[in-house]
Amino acid sequence: RAATVRAAEFCEVFMLTKDAFEHELVCHNCDLESMTSVFDTIKASNERRNHAVSVNLKKSKEDGGSKLHKLVFPALREPLSSLGSFHLHFLPNSAFRGFWDALCLGAVLHCACWVPFNAAFTDPPTNALGLVQHGGFWFDLTLDVLWVLDMTLRSTFFAFAEKGQQQVVVTEKKRIRRHYLHSSTFAQDLCASLPLEFLCLVPEVGVGAFHRLRLIRFIRVVRLFEYTALVESAAASAFGVRVSASLSLLTRMFVLFILVNHWCCCAWFAIHRYEVAFGTSLDSSSRSSPLTSTWATTSALPLSHYDPETGSLTVCGSDGGGEDDDDMTTSPTVGARDCYTRAFYFVTTTLTTVGYGDIYPTNNVETLWELVVVLLGCVMFASIIGAWQALLKQTDETGDNAFKDKITRLLTYMEYREFK
């Protein structure tokens, strides 16, 4: 095998015709007959090995007892015949597992976007009827049922591969349950599934805290990249779609950058909303004086205004009241869409260190949050630059640049040997 590797590198480097190659061997006092005999022996040996591997690859998916199958494919603790068609769908890299992981990934992305948006930009419901009539209530309830079903499947039916030199797929329910309950995944799922919404039945809490209580669902975001890896593995297994590690890393960094922009945007507007709700600044040093302005009122395009008659600020162009509690556009000129656009614009310009100055903080709390956003921007840009570097490095080592480098070294060698 070492001789084969050396011969392959030798031929790849020189890339000579047969006559030129024989001439080089003669110049180095090599016996052409013995060299040809060695190459023929290696060629025949390689052909036998390649034929054996091809035959085993064809039989590996059908014959679970073949040696190649045991080395390449994870082994089952139970034979496939004893599992039944129902349990075969729960094996790793099965079509159903791939579909389920993709569905969970979509649910996590929805949670990452919709939960903080509701807590920051949606007017709190004033009664149970307004809550039920909200467009996203029943969809969120459906996702809660989906997560409960996901916990049931992962603790009962979803087989897993044990880590080790030879992976073994465990299909026993007791071992599956033990593996899931002792993993950090179970703790995350359990905390994210706590029904804190029932606290709205307490009079001191009220229905208005419904969207804030659902922020507990945001814990599922920590599994975003885990589900992404599972979907990539399923796509490679089912459709042969393989994404390079560097390209996958770069895509994840860009998605994370957009999500961080969204989360900071929601937090930025939430500061304004709850300052208006409290009627005073969240800054302890300014609580004694009434609130007359926030970043939303001093913006070049004001999103809120101070009413001197009532002595209070409005939220997103209105007082947040009205008969329709789930109406997202509370003003004919300024609505939640405008508020989100301006808040997202401010966060993006801050993260990218542009900062035009048309939106700026007005108190210590808003200033501290802007500093946090700036620091997050430094971290995100460093991560994206690192991902780009990994992609360019891979291109240099295996892509067109690597081929051009080989050609350059070949031309240099030919010039040194005075080939014409």
Side-chain angles (χ1 to χ4, degrees):
R1 293 177 183 237
T4 304
V5 173
R6 285 199 297 270
E9 293 178 352
F10 186 77
C11 297
E12 182 185 35
V13 171
F14 284 94
M15 299 178 66
L16 305 175
T17 61
K18 182 179 179 181
D19 295 337
F21 181 63
E22 292 179 352
H23 176 70
E24 284 293 320
L25 293 178
V26 171
C27 293
H28 288 80
N29 298 323
C30 294
D31 187 0
L32 294 181
E33 294 183 359
S34 61
M35 185 66 69
T36 304
S37 176
V38 172
F39 286 158
D40 290 339
T41 303
I42 295 175
K43 179 180 177 181
S45 177
N46 287 338
E47 288 179 351
R48 290 195 301 270
R49 291 193 182 98
N50 293 337
H51 177 71
V53 171
S54 300
V55 173
N56 286 334
L57 282 175
K58 293 180 180 179
K59 294 181 178 180
S60 60
K61 293 185 178 181
E62 301 176 357
D63 184 9
S66 64
K67 181 179 180 180
L68 187 61
H69 180 91
K70 294 179 180 179
L71 292 174
V72 177
F73 299 97
L76 291 173
R77 286 191 175 273
E78 300 180 15
L80 295 178
S81 58
S82 63
L83 294 178
S85 59
F86 176 76
H87 293 84
L88 288 177
H89 296 298
F90 299 141
L91 295 178
N93 294 329
S94 64
F96 176 79
R97 286 286 292 271
F99 168 77
W100 187 261
D101 291 334
L103 187 64
C104 291
L105 176 61
V108 170
L109 288 174
H110 175 271
C111 174
C113 298
W114 189 245
V115 170
F117 179 86
N118 270 342
F121 289 93
T122 303
D123 292 334
T126 57
N127 52 61
L129 180 61
L131 175 63
V132 174
Q133 291 178 348
H134 190 272
F137 174 79
W138 294 106
F139 185 76
D140 291 340
L141 184 61
T142 303
L143 290 183
D144 291 342
V145 175
L146 171 69
W147 289 120
V148 173
L149 181 59
D150 178 70
M151 293 180 64
T152 303
L153 290 175
R154 295 188 186 279
S155 62
T156 308
F157 298 104
F158 280 180
F160 68 94
E162 286 185 331
K163 296 181 180 180
Q165 185 175 5
Q166 182 177 356
Q167 290 187 343
V168 177
V169 175
V170 178
T171 58
E172 302 172 8
K173 291 185 177 181
K174 291 183 179 180
R175 292 177 57 85
I176 294 175
R177 185 179 298 107
R178 188 185 308 114
H179 176 265
Y180 178 69
L181 295 179
H182 287 80
S183 64
S184 59
T185 302
F186 170 70
Q188 297 166 3
D189 291 342
L190 182 62
C191 293
S193 301
L194 293 176
L196 298 184
E197 295 86 349
F198 285 104
L199 293 177
C200 293
L201 301 177
V202 180
E204 289 77 7
V205 179
V207 183
F210 179 81
H211 295 308
R212 297 195 299 272
L213 292 174
R214 283 193 63 83
L215 286 174
I216 192 71
R217 304 291 186 266
F218 194 72
I219 297 178
R220 299 191 187 278
V221 177
V222 299
R223 299 186 60 190
L224 176 62
F225 290 153
E226 176 185 347
Y227 282 118
T228 303
L230 292 174
V231 171
E232 290 179 355
S233 176
S237 177
F239 306 104
V241 179
R242 300 185 182 276
V243 182
S244 64
S246 57
L247 182 59
S248 175
L249 176 62
L250 182 61
T251 304
R252 294 182 187 187
M253 288 299 100
F254 270 112
V255 172
L256 183 60
F257 178 74
I258 296 174
L259 289 178
V260 169
N261 273 267
H262 173 72
W263 299 334
C264 292
C265 160
C266 294
W268 182 240
F269 190 79
I271 293 175
H272 161 71
R273 171 178 289 277
Y274 294 111
E275 283 182 335
V276 172
F278 292 144
T280 182
S281 174
L282 296 179
D283 182 13
S284 58
S285 62
S286 305
R287 289 182 181 177
S288 58
S289 59
L291 183 69
T292 59
S293 65
T294 65
W295 67 267
T297 60
T298 58
S299 170
L301 178 62
L303 304 175
S304 175
H305 67 275
Y306 177 73
D307 189 354
E309 297 182 358
T310 60
S312 61
L313 285 171
T314 59
V315 177
C316 206
S318 76
D319 57 0
E323 297 179 358
D324 191 2
D325 294 313
D326 62 343
D327 187 8
M328 295 295 293
T329 56
T330 55
S331 171
T333 56
V334 178
R337 182 179 301 176
D338 303 287
C339 294
Y340 179 82
T341 302
R342 294 290 291 174
F344 194 87
Y345 156 79
F346 166 78
V347 170
T348 303
T349 55
T350 304
L351 281 173
T352 55
T353 66
V354 177
Y356 295 106
D358 52 344
I359 301 178
Y360 54 89
T362 60
N363 53 60
N364 289 338
V365 174
E366 294 176 359
T367 303
L368 289 175
W369 179 245
E370 184 177 15
L371 293 176
V372 171
V373 173
V374 172
L375 294 177
L376 285 175
C378 297
V379 175
M380 292 306 303
F381 267 98
S383 302
I384 293 176
I385 292 174
W388 270 113
Q389 183 181 7
L391 179 62
L392 295 177
K393 181 180 179 182
Q394 183 182 22
T395 303
D396 290 338
E397 292 178 350
T398 61
D400 295 337
N401 293 338
F403 176 75
K404 293 178 181 178
D405 181 63
K406 288 182 179 181
I407 295 298
T408 302
R409 288 189 284 111
L410 177 61
L411 293 176
T412 303
Y413 175 80
M414 293 177 65
E415 182 179 356
Y416 171 75
R417 287 293 184 179
E418 298 181 354
F419 289 154
K420 298 180 180 180

